[in-house]
């Protein structure tokens, strides 16, 4: 560890469990905007499918969701982007042992 000069982490599926985090976000979206529906499992599956495991550009994703999903009232696109920015973080789930790895590196490297 004496020769390490920098450590760079990818966020999705390195620090955060992206699948679980996005699932939590999608469930929060459904709870907030689709309480008028009796069943929402199909909506959850469609949101996850359209997201393409995080590879789809989020502004484009939310544009698709606005056109495809059965909203009681269509929120503004900007509102959904703000919701995403807030709720994705709130829904975050760490990868197994991510905290331990970061703590180990913190104790064994010098800030640059």
């Amino acid at each position: 560890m004496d020769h390490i000069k920098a450590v760079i982490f990818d966020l999705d599926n390195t620090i955060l469990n992206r699948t679980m985090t996005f699932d939590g976000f999608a469930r929060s979206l459904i709870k907030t905007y689709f309480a008028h529906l009796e069943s929402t499992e199909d909506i959850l599956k469609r949101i996850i499918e359209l997201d393409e495991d995080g590879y789809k550009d989020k502004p484009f994703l939310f544009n698709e969701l606005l056109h495809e999903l059965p909203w009681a009232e269509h929120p503004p696109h900007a509102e959904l982007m703000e919701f995403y920015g807030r709720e994705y973080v709130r829904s975050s789930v760490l990868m197994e042992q991510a905290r331990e790895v970061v703590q180990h590196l913190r104790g064994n490297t010098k800030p640059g």
Side-chain angles (χ1 to χ4, degrees):
M1 293 284 255
D2 293 339
H3 296 83
I4 296 175
K5 295 190 187 243
V7 178
I8 299 172
F9 290 104
D10 173 59
L11 185 62
D12 287 343
N13 293 326
T14 301
I15 298 295
L16 291 183
N17 181 319
R18 203 231 175 244
T19 301
M20 292 177 71
T21 298
F22 192 79
D23 183 81
F25 158 75
R27 289 177 187 278
S28 180
L29 181 78
I30 289 168
K31 182 178 179 183
T32 302
Y33 291 99
F34 297 96
H36 63 283
L37 299 177
E38 195 171 306
S39 174
T40 57
E41 271 310 302
D42 288 342
I43 292 174
L44 177 64
K45 288 177 188 173
R46 187 62 179 147
I47 292 169
I48 290 170
E49 178 183 332
L50 286 172
D51 180 57
E52 297 177 357
D53 200 31
Y55 288 100
K56 184 167 288 174
D57 183 59
K58 294 306 171 262
F60 187 74
L61 170 66
F62 289 112
N63 191 46
E64 286 183 321
L65 295 178
L66 280 167
H67 286 93
E68 234 185 87
L69 299 183
W71 305 86
E73 289 186 36
H74 284 78
H77 189 270
E79 179 181 321
L80 291 180
M81 293 301 299
E82 289 173 19
F83 185 86
Y84 175 75
R86 184 178 61 250
E87 292 301 318
Y88 189 80
V89 172
R90 286 184 183 159
S91 302
S92 63
V93 177
L94 291 176
M95 292 293 289
E96 190 174 318
Q97 297 182 332
R99 184 179 314 273
E100 291 84 356
V101 168
V102 171
Q103 287 173 340
H104 177 77
L105 289 170
R106 178 182 282 163
N108 291 294
T109 57
K110 295 177 186 176

